Amino acid sequence: MARVRAALYLDFDNVFSALIRQDPDVAIQFAEEPGAWLSRLTTSLTVEGPRRWLILRCYMNPGGWVPHPDPGAGTQRLYYSRFRPYFVNAGFEVIDCPRLTHTKNAADIRMVVDAVDALGDPVQHDEFVIASGDSDMTPLLVRLRRADRRTTIVSPADAALAFTSVADRLITSQELLELVQGEPVESEEEPVVSTPGEPESPASFDQFRDLVTWRFTAAPGPLNLASLAHDLRRQLGTGVDESNWFGFGGFVRALESLRLPHARFSNHFVWDDSRHGPPETAGGAASAPEPVVRLSAPLGLPRLPRDMWPPVYRALADYAASHHFNLTEATRWARDALAGQGVDVSRSAIAFVTRGTAFGGAPLYRQPPPDAEEIATAFADNVLNRAEAAAIALTDEECAEVRSWLGAPDPKA
């Protein structure tokens, strides 16, 4: 397969400072082993094929720092300059971007200028990979799209919808952390091919049918498609992806071929219409109060029913109390624990809560670890802070309504 000529522009300060608030151990690994995750990014999460890196640039404030995550390190500050040699040795051109003002460095300006300059290079760059969660990059992506270049965003946090919607592919912080740790990158999107065929392995397909039938028959409510697909991959092996789900071209098409009795499908769920109500009417997203509906799309808030939020907080609190924190493990563990309780929540929704909790002031790696109520409070605080930053006007009563829907206590009560 021909390689895609790619250019990578990394805003180190933006990405590292966001990652270290979510998972300090993996953030340090990201900064000390750039060659490892870059090698994996060459063939993972691609738009049109494996990449050939023609440009590798890391923009870094030489005097930048974050509070050191290790209290026993003997220093209160972790300086970005410590990681400069690692990126140089990995083949990056490190661009020093000192602070221009108290809150702003020159990284985003330099990235925009350099990317636009690259459009005029004699050798065409097919894909531009922008590693930054700064929505100020939106005009750059619009300019690259107008030049018919493919764009990929590597976002270390929940970036603005106006920013991510312009790109051809979004690599989330969850996927980035999986790349850094060398784990298989789990995508909740199913591959699609043009024509379904016959099952390529009858024995495996029979096992697939038996497992699905058992889960469908025993389910106390609608099954989340992403969680079900993950569980089946784990039990059946990677061959399901290699065969495009037994030749049917996708997980949902393979499910539909089973003709499960009374099965109904939505974008994210499958359920038995004779026993379950559809997720949208069983306390689901459609019954959310107006303030929640208003901020859901701009913030990317998972469309979970009211009664699903507290179990997510409890699962994350249980994980934090019993494990050394690792973000990718936490989201996987919590999803599986919830599935065992009959609560089907996608891993991406759990990751959204975990990130919001960290940015809201109660990271799961904190000692002592936060309990479920602290997690709920921090997550709701983050949602409302992001709503304010996005200029979504909410009255005090509406803020209280949002907190109630998210299962968080009212701080004024």
Side-chain angles (χ1 to χ4, degrees), residues 346-398:
S346 70
R347 192 177 174 199
S348 62
I350 297 171
F352 187 96
V353 173
T354 308
R355 289 193 299 273
T357 299
F359 287 107
L364 267 63
Y365 56 80
R366 192 194 72 186
Q367 293 299 324
D371 59 25
E373 183 172 311
E374 291 174 301
I375 291 172
T377 300
F379 176 66
D381 287 346
N382 176 254
V383 168
L384 293 173
N385 288 338
R386 290 183 62 208
E388 182 179 3
I392 302 173
L394 297 173
T395 66
D396 290 345
E397 291 76 13
E398 289 174 330

CSV table of all heavy atoms in Angstrom, one decimal, residues 346-398:
chain,number,residue,atom,x,y,z
A,346,SER,N,-21.0,3.0,27.1
A,346,SER,CA,-19.9,2.9,26.2
A,346,SER,C,-18.6,3.4,26.9
A,346,SER,O,-18.6,4.2,27.8
A,346,SER,CB,-20.1,3.7,25.0
A,346,SER,OG,-20.0,5.1,25.2
A,347,ARG,N,-17.5,2.8,26.5
A,347,ARG,CA,-16.2,3.2,27.1
A,347,ARG,C,-15.9,4.7,26.8
A,347,ARG,O,-15.3,5.4,27.7
A,347,ARG,CB,-15.1,2.4,26.5
A,347,ARG,CG,-13.8,2.5,27.2
A,347,ARG,CD,-12.8,1.5,26.6
A,347,ARG,NE,-11.5,1.8,27.2
A,347,ARG,CZ,-10.3,1.3,26.7
A,347,ARG,NH1,-10.3,0.7,25.5
A,347,ARG,NH2,-9.2,1.6,27.3
A,348,SER,N,-16.3,5.2,25.7
A,348,SER,CA,-16.1,6.6,25.4
A,348,SER,C,-16.8,7.5,26.3
A,348,SER,O,-16.3,8.6,26.7
A,348,SER,CB,-16.5,6.9,23.9
A,348,SER,OG,-17.9,6.7,23.7
A,349,ALA,N,-18.0,7.1,26.7
A,349,ALA,CA,-18.8,7.9,27.7
A,349,ALA,C,-18.1,7.9,29.1
A,349,ALA,O,-18.0,8.9,29.8
A,349,ALA,CB,-20.2,7.4,27.8
A,350,ILE,N,-17.6,6.8,29.5
A,350,ILE,CA,-16.9,6.7,30.7
A,350,ILE,C,-15.6,7.5,30.7
A,350,ILE,O,-15.2,8.2,31.7
A,350,ILE,CB,-16.6,5.2,31.1
A,350,ILE,CG1,-17.9,4.4,31.3
A,350,ILE,CG2,-15.7,5.1,32.3
A,350,ILE,CD1,-17.7,2.9,31.4
A,351,ALA,N,-14.9,7.5,29.6
A,351,ALA,CA,-13.7,8.3,29.4
A,351,ALA,C,-14.0,9.8,29.5
A,351,ALA,O,-13.3,10.6,30.1
A,351,ALA,CB,-13.0,8.0,28.1
A,352,PHE,N,-15.2,10.2,28.9
A,352,PHE,CA,-15.6,11.5,29.0
A,352,PHE,C,-15.8,12.0,30.5
A,352,PHE,O,-15.4,13.0,30.9
A,352,PHE,CB,-16.9,11.7,28.2
A,352,PHE,CG,-17.4,13.1,28.1
A,352,PHE,CD1,-17.1,13.9,26.9
A,352,PHE,CD2,-18.1,13.7,29.1
A,352,PHE,CE1,-17.6,15.2,26.8
A,352,PHE,CE2,-18.6,15.0,29.0
A,352,PHE,CZ,-18.3,15.8,27.8
A,353,VAL,N,-16.4,11.1,31.3
A,353,VAL,CA,-16.6,11.4,32.7
A,353,VAL,C,-15.3,11.5,33.4
A,353,VAL,O,-15.0,12.4,34.2
A,353,VAL,CB,-17.5,10.4,33.3
A,353,VAL,CG1,-17.6,10.6,34.8
A,353,VAL,CG2,-18.9,10.4,32.7
A,354,THR,N,-14.4,10.6,33.1
A,354,THR,CA,-13.1,10.5,33.8
A,354,THR,C,-12.3,11.8,33.5
A,354,THR,O,-11.7,12.4,34.4
A,354,THR,CB,-12.3,9.3,33.3
A,354,THR,OG1,-13.1,8.1,33.5
A,354,THR,CG2,-11.0,9.1,34.1
A,355,ARG,N,-12.3,12.2,32.2
A,355,ARG,CA,-11.6,13.4,31.9
A,355,ARG,C,-12.2,14.6,32.6
A,355,ARG,O,-11.5,15.5,33.1
A,355,ARG,CB,-11.6,13.7,30.4
A,355,ARG,CG,-10.7,12.7,29.6
A,355,ARG,CD,-10.5,13.2,28.1
A,355,ARG,NE,-11.8,13.2,27.4
A,355,ARG,CZ,-12.3,12.2,26.8
A,355,ARG,NH1,-11.7,11.1,26.8
A,355,ARG,NH2,-13.5,12.4,26.1
A,356,GLY,N,-13.5,14.7,32.5
A,356,GLY,CA,-14.2,15.8,33.2
A,356,GLY,C,-13.9,15.9,34.7
A,356,GLY,O,-13.8,17.0,35.3
A,357,THR,N,-13.9,14.7,35.3
A,357,THR,CA,-13.6,14.6,36.7
A,357,THR,C,-12.2,15.2,37.0
A,357,THR,O,-11.9,15.9,38.0
A,357,THR,CB,-13.7,13.2,37.2
A,357,THR,OG1,-15.0,12.7,37.0
A,357,THR,CG2,-13.3,13.1,38.7
A,358,ALA,N,-11.2,14.8,36.2
A,358,ALA,CA,-9.8,15.3,36.3
A,358,ALA,C,-9.7,16.8,36.2
A,358,ALA,O,-9.2,17.5,37.0
A,358,ALA,CB,-8.9,14.6,35.3
A,359,PHE,N,-10.4,17.3,35.1
A,359,PHE,CA,-10.3,18.8,34.9
A,359,PHE,C,-11.2,19.5,35.9
A,359,PHE,O,-11.0,20.7,36.1
A,359,PHE,CB,-10.7,19.1,33.5
A,359,PHE,CG,-9.7,18.7,32.5
A,359,PHE,CD1,-9.9,17.6,31.6
A,359,PHE,CD2,-8.5,19.5,32.3
A,359,PHE,CE1,-8.9,17.3,30.7
A,359,PHE,CE2,-7.6,19.1,31.4
A,359,PHE,CZ,-7.7,18.1,30.6
A,360,GLY,N,-12.1,18.8,36.5
A,360,GLY,CA,-13.0,19.4,37.5
A,360,GLY,C,-12.4,19.5,38.9
A,360,GLY,O,-13.0,20.0,39.9
A,361,GLY,N,-11.2,18.9,39.1
A,361,GLY,CA,-10.5,19.0,40.4
A,361,GLY,C,-10.5,17.7,41.2
A,361,GLY,O,-10.0,17.8,42.4
A,362,ALA,N,-10.9,16.6,40.7
A,362,ALA,CA,-10.9,15.4,41.5
A,362,ALA,C,-10.4,14.2,40.7
A,362,ALA,O,-11.1,13.2,40.4
A,362,ALA,CB,-12.3,15.0,42.1
A,363,PRO,N,-9.1,14.3,40.2
A,363,PRO,CA,-8.6,13.2,39.4
A,363,PRO,C,-8.6,11.9,40.1
A,363,PRO,O,-8.4,11.8,41.3
A,363,PRO,CB,-7.1,13.7,39.0
A,363,PRO,CG,-6.8,14.6,40.1
A,363,PRO,CD,-8.1,15.3,40.5
A,364,LEU,N,-8.8,10.8,39.4
A,364,LEU,CA,-8.9,9.5,40.0
A,364,LEU,C,-7.5,9.0,40.6
A,364,LEU,O,-7.5,8.1,41.5
A,364,LEU,CB,-9.4,8.4,39.0
A,364,LEU,CG,-10.9,8.2,39.0
A,364,LEU,CD1,-11.6,9.5,38.6
A,364,LEU,CD2,-11.3,7.1,38.1
A,365,TYR,N,-6.4,9.6,40.2
A,365,TYR,CA,-5.1,9.2,40.7
A,365,TYR,C,-4.8,9.9,42.0
A,365,TYR,O,-3.8,9.6,42.7
A,365,TYR,CB,-4.0,9.5,39.7
A,365,TYR,CG,-3.9,10.9,39.2
A,365,TYR,CD1,-3.2,11.9,40.0
A,365,TYR,CD2,-4.4,11.3,38.0
A,365,TYR,CE1,-3.2,13.2,39.6
A,365,TYR,CE2,-4.3,12.6,37.6
A,365,TYR,CZ,-3.7,13.5,38.4
A,365,TYR,OH,-3.6,14.8,37.9
A,366,ARG,N,-5.7,10.8,42.4
A,366,ARG,CA,-5.4,11.6,43.7
A,366,ARG,C,-5.4,10.6,44.9
A,366,ARG,O,-6.1,9.6,44.9
A,366,ARG,CB,-6.6,12.6,43.9
A,366,ARG,CG,-6.3,13.6,44.9
A,366,ARG,CD,-7.7,14.3,45.3
A,366,ARG,NE,-8.6,13.4,46.0
A,366,ARG,CZ,-9.8,13.8,46.3
A,366,ARG,NH1,-10.3,14.9,45.9
A,366,ARG,NH2,-10.6,13.0,47.0
A,367,GLN,N,-4.6,11.0,45.9
A,367,GLN,CA,-4.6,10.2,47.1
A,367,GLN,C,-5.0,11.1,48.3
A,367,GLN,O,-4.4,12.2,48.5
A,367,GLN,CB,-3.2,9.7,47.4
A,367,GLN,CG,-2.8,8.6,46.4
A,367,GLN,CD,-3.7,7.4,46.4
A,367,GLN,OE1,-4.2,7.0,47.5
A,367,GLN,NE2,-3.9,6.8,45.2
A,368,PRO,N,-6.0,10.7,49.1
A,368,PRO,CA,-6.8,9.5,48.9
A,368,PRO,C,-7.7,9.7,47.7
A,368,PRO,O,-8.0,10.8,47.3
A,368,PRO,CB,-7.6,9.5,50.2
A,368,PRO,CG,-7.7,10.9,50.6
A,368,PRO,CD,-6.4,11.5,50.3
A,369,PRO,N,-8.1,8.6,47.1
A,369,PRO,CA,-8.9,8.7,45.8
A,369,PRO,C,-10.3,9.3,46.1
A,369,PRO,O,-10.8,9.1,47.2
A,369,PRO,CB,-9.0,7.2,45.4
A,369,PRO,CG,-8.7,6.4,46.6
A,369,PRO,CD,-7.8,7.2,47.4
A,370,PRO,N,-10.8,9.9,45.2
A,370,PRO,CA,-12.2,10.5,45.4
A,370,PRO,C,-13.2,9.5,45.5
A,370,PRO,O,-13.1,8.4,44.8
A,370,PRO,CB,-12.3,11.4,44.1
A,370,PRO,CG,-11.5,10.7,43.1
A,370,PRO,CD,-10.3,10.2,43.8
A,371,ASP,N,-14.3,9.8,46.2
A,371,ASP,CA,-15.4,8.9,46.3
A,371,ASP,C,-16.4,9.3,45.2
A,371,ASP,O,-16.2,10.2,44.4
A,371,ASP,CB,-16.1,8.9,47.7
A,371,ASP,CG,-16.6,10.3,48.1
A,371,ASP,OD1,-16.9,11.1,47.2
A,371,ASP,OD2,-16.7,10.5,49.3
A,372,ALA,N,-17.5,8.5,45.1
A,372,ALA,CA,-18.5,8.7,44.0
A,372,ALA,C,-19.1,10.1,44.1
A,372,ALA,O,-19.3,10.7,43.0
A,372,ALA,CB,-19.6,7.7,44.1
A,373,GLU,N,-19.4,10.7,45.2
A,373,GLU,CA,-20.0,12.0,45.3
A,373,GLU,C,-19.0,13.1,44.9
A,373,GLU,O,-19.4,14.0,44.2
A,373,GLU,CB,-20.4,12.3,46.8
A,373,GLU,CG,-21.1,13.6,46.9
A,373,GLU,CD,-21.7,13.8,48.3
A,373,GLU,OE1,-22.4,12.9,48.8
A,373,GLU,OE2,-21.5,14.9,48.9
A,374,GLU,N,-17.7,12.9,45.2
A,374,GLU,CA,-16.7,13.9,44.8
A,374,GLU,C,-16.5,13.8,43.3
A,374,GLU,O,-16.3,14.8,42.6
A,374,GLU,CB,-15.4,13.6,45.5
A,374,GLU,CG,-15.3,13.9,46.9
A,374,GLU,CD,-14.0,13.5,47.6
A,374,GLU,OE1,-13.7,12.3,47.6
A,374,GLU,OE2,-13.3,14.4,48.2
A,375,ILE,N,-16.6,12.6,42.7
A,375,ILE,CA,-16.5,12.4,41.3
A,375,ILE,C,-17.6,13.1,40.6
A,375,ILE,O,-17.5,13.9,39.6
A,375,ILE,CB,-16.4,11.0,40.9
A,375,ILE,CG1,-15.1,10.3,41.3
A,375,ILE,CG2,-16.6,10.7,39.4
A,375,ILE,CD1,-15.0,8.8,41.2
A,376,ALA,N,-18.8,12.9,41.1
A,376,ALA,CA,-20.0,13.5,40.5
A,376,ALA,C,-19.9,15.0,40.6
A,376,ALA,O,-20.3,15.7,39.6
A,376,ALA,CB,-21.3,13.0,41.3
A,377,THR,N,-19.5,15.6,41.7
A,377,THR,CA,-19.4,17.0,41.9
A,377,THR,C,-18.4,17.6,40.9
A,377,THR,O,-18.6,18.6,40.2
A,377,THR,CB,-19.0,17.4,43.3
A,377,THR,OG1,-20.0,16.9,44.2
A,377,THR,CG2,-18.9,18.9,43.5
A,378,ALA,N,-17.2,17.0,40.8
A,378,ALA,CA,-16.1,17.5,40.0
A,378,ALA,C,-16.6,17.4,38.5
A,378,ALA,O,-16.3,18.4,37.7
A,378,ALA,CB,-14.8,16.7,40.2
A,379,PHE,N,-17.2,16.4,38.1
A,379,PHE,CA,-17.7,16.2,36.7
A,379,PHE,C,-18.7,17.3,36.4
A,379,PHE,O,-18.6,18.0,35.3
A,379,PHE,CB,-18.3,14.8,36.5
A,379,PHE,CG,-18.8,14.7,35.1
A,379,PHE,CD1,-18.0,14.7,34.0
A,379,PHE,CD2,-20.2,14.5,34.9
A,379,PHE,CE1,-18.5,14.5,32.7
A,379,PHE,CE2,-20.7,14.3,33.6
A,379,PHE,CZ,-19.9,14.3,32.5
A,380,ALA,N,-19.7,17.5,37.3
A,380,ALA,CA,-20.7,18.5,37.0
A,380,ALA,C,-20.1,19.9,37.0
A,380,ALA,O,-20.5,20.8,36.1
A,380,ALA,CB,-21.8,18.5,38.1
A,381,ASP,N,-19.1,20.2,37.9
A,381,ASP,CA,-18.4,21.5,37.8
A,381,ASP,C,-17.7,21.7,36.5
A,381,ASP,O,-17.8,22.8,35.9
A,381,ASP,CB,-17.4,21.5,38.9
A,381,ASP,CG,-18.0,21.7,40.3
A,381,ASP,OD1,-19.2,22.0,40.4
A,381,ASP,OD2,-17.2,21.5,41.3
A,382,ASN,N,-17.1,20.6,36.0
A,382,ASN,CA,-16.4,20.8,34.7
A,382,ASN,C,-17.4,21.0,33.6
A,382,ASN,O,-17.1,21.9,32.7
A,382,ASN,CB,-15.6,19.5,34.4
A,382,ASN,CG,-14.9,19.5,33.1
A,382,ASN,OD1,-15.3,18.8,32.1
A,382,ASN,ND2,-13.9,20.3,32.9
A,383,VAL,N,-18.5,20.3,33.6
A,383,VAL,CA,-19.5,20.5,32.5
A,383,VAL,C,-20.0,22.0,32.5
A,383,VAL,O,-20.1,22.6,31.5
A,383,VAL,CB,-20.7,19.5,32.7
A,383,VAL,CG1,-21.9,19.9,31.8
A,383,VAL,CG2,-20.2,18.1,32.4
A,384,LEU,N,-20.3,22.5,33.7
A,384,LEU,CA,-20.8,23.8,33.8
A,384,LEU,C,-19.7,24.9,33.5
A,384,LEU,O,-20.0,25.9,32.9
A,384,LEU,CB,-21.4,24.1,35.2
A,384,LEU,CG,-22.7,23.3,35.5
A,384,LEU,CD1,-23.1,23.5,36.9
A,384,LEU,CD2,-23.8,23.7,34.5
A,385,ASN,N,-18.5,24.6,33.8
A,385,ASN,CA,-17.4,25.5,33.5
A,385,ASN,C,-17.2,25.5,32.0
A,385,ASN,O,-17.0,26.6,31.4
A,385,ASN,CB,-16.1,25.1,34.2
A,385,ASN,CG,-16.1,25.4,35.7
A,385,ASN,OD1,-16.9,26.2,36.1
A,385,ASN,ND2,-15.3,24.7,36.4
A,386,ARG,N,-17.3,24.4,31.3
A,386,ARG,CA,-17.1,24.3,29.9
A,386,ARG,C,-18.3,25.0,29.2
A,386,ARG,O,-18.2,25.7,28.2
A,386,ARG,CB,-17.0,22.9,29.4
A,386,ARG,CG,-15.7,22.2,29.8
A,386,ARG,CD,-15.7,20.8,29.2
A,386,ARG,NE,-15.7,20.9,27.7
A,386,ARG,CZ,-16.2,19.9,27.0
A,386,ARG,NH1,-16.7,18.8,27.6
A,386,ARG,NH2,-16.2,20.0,25.7
A,387,ALA,N,-19.5,24.9,29.8
A,387,ALA,CA,-20.7,25.6,29.2
A,387,ALA,C,-20.5,27.1,29.3
A,387,ALA,O,-20.8,27.8,28.3
A,387,ALA,CB,-21.9,25.2,30.0
A,388,GLU,N,-19.9,27.6,30.4
A,388,GLU,CA,-19.7,29.0,30.5
A,388,GLU,C,-18.6,29.5,29.5
A,388,GLU,O,-18.8,30.5,28.9
A,388,GLU,CB,-19.2,29.4,32.0
A,388,GLU,CG,-19.0,30.8,32.2
A,388,GLU,CD,-18.5,31.1,33.7
A,388,GLU,OE1,-18.4,30.1,34.4
A,388,GLU,OE2,-18.4,32.3,34.0
A,389,ALA,N,-17.6,28.7,29.4
A,389,ALA,CA,-16.5,29.0,28.4
A,389,ALA,C,-17.0,29.0,27.0
A,389,ALA,O,-16.5,29.8,26.1
A,389,ALA,CB,-15.3,28.1,28.5
A,390,ALA,N,-18.0,28.2,26.7
A,390,ALA,CA,-18.6,28.2,25.4
A,390,ALA,C,-19.8,29.2,25.2
A,390,ALA,O,-20.5,29.1,24.2
A,390,ALA,CB,-19.2,26.8,25.1
A,391,ALA,N,-19.9,30.1,26.2
A,391,ALA,CA,-20.9,31.1,26.1
A,391,ALA,C,-22.4,30.6,26.1
A,391,ALA,O,-23.2,31.1,25.4
A,391,ALA,CB,-20.7,32.1,25.0
A,392,ILE,N,-22.6,29.4,26.8
A,392,ILE,CA,-23.9,28.9,26.9
A,392,ILE,C,-24.5,29.4,28.2
A,392,ILE,O,-24.1,29.0,29.3
A,392,ILE,CB,-23.9,27.3,26.9
A,392,ILE,CG1,-23.2,26.8,25.6
A,392,ILE,CG2,-25.3,26.8,27.1
A,392,ILE,CD1,-23.0,25.3,25.7
A,393,ALA,N,-25.4,30.4,28.1
A,393,ALA,CA,-25.9,31.0,29.3
A,393,ALA,C,-26.9,30.2,30.0
A,393,ALA,O,-27.9,29.6,29.4
A,393,ALA,CB,-26.6,32.4,28.8
A,394,LEU,N,-26.7,30.0,31.3
A,394,LEU,CA,-27.5,29.2,32.1
A,394,LEU,C,-27.8,30.0,33.4
A,394,LEU,O,-26.9,30.5,34.0
A,394,LEU,CB,-26.9,27.8,32.5
A,394,LEU,CG,-26.6,26.8,31.4
A,394,LEU,CD1,-25.8,25.7,31.9
A,394,LEU,CD2,-27.9,26.3,30.7
A,395,THR,N,-29.1,30.0,33.8
A,395,THR,CA,-29.5,30.6,35.1
A,395,THR,C,-29.1,29.7,36.2
A,395,THR,O,-28.7,28.5,36.0
A,395,THR,CB,-31.0,30.9,35.1
A,395,THR,OG1,-31.7,29.6,35.1
A,395,THR,CG2,-31.4,31.7,33.9
A,396,ASP,N,-29.1,30.2,37.5
A,396,ASP,CA,-28.8,29.4,38.6
A,396,ASP,C,-29.8,28.2,38.7
A,396,ASP,O,-29.3,27.1,39.1
A,396,ASP,CB,-28.9,30.2,39.9
A,396,ASP,CG,-27.8,31.3,40.0
A,396,ASP,OD1,-26.8,31.2,39.3
A,396,ASP,OD2,-28.0,32.2,40.8
A,397,GLU,N,-31.0,28.4,38.4
A,397,GLU,CA,-32.0,27.3,38.4
A,397,GLU,C,-31.7,26.3,37.4
A,397,GLU,O,-31.8,25.1,37.6
A,397,GLU,CB,-33.4,27.9,38.2
A,397,GLU,CG,-34.0,28.7,39.3
A,397,GLU,CD,-33.4,30.1,39.3
A,397,GLU,OE1,-32.7,30.5,38.3
A,397,GLU,OE2,-33.6,30.8,40.3
A,398,GLU,N,-31.2,26.7,36.2
A,398,GLU,CA,-30.9,25.8,35.1
A,398,GLU,C,-29.6,25.0,35.5
A,398,GLU,O,-29.5,23.8,35.2
A,398,GLU,CB,-30.7,26.5,33.8
A,398,GLU,CG,-32.0,27.0,33.2
A,398,GLU,CD,-31.8,27.9,32.0
A,398,GLU,OE1,-30.8,28.5,31.9
A,398,GLU,OE2,-32.7,27.8,31.1
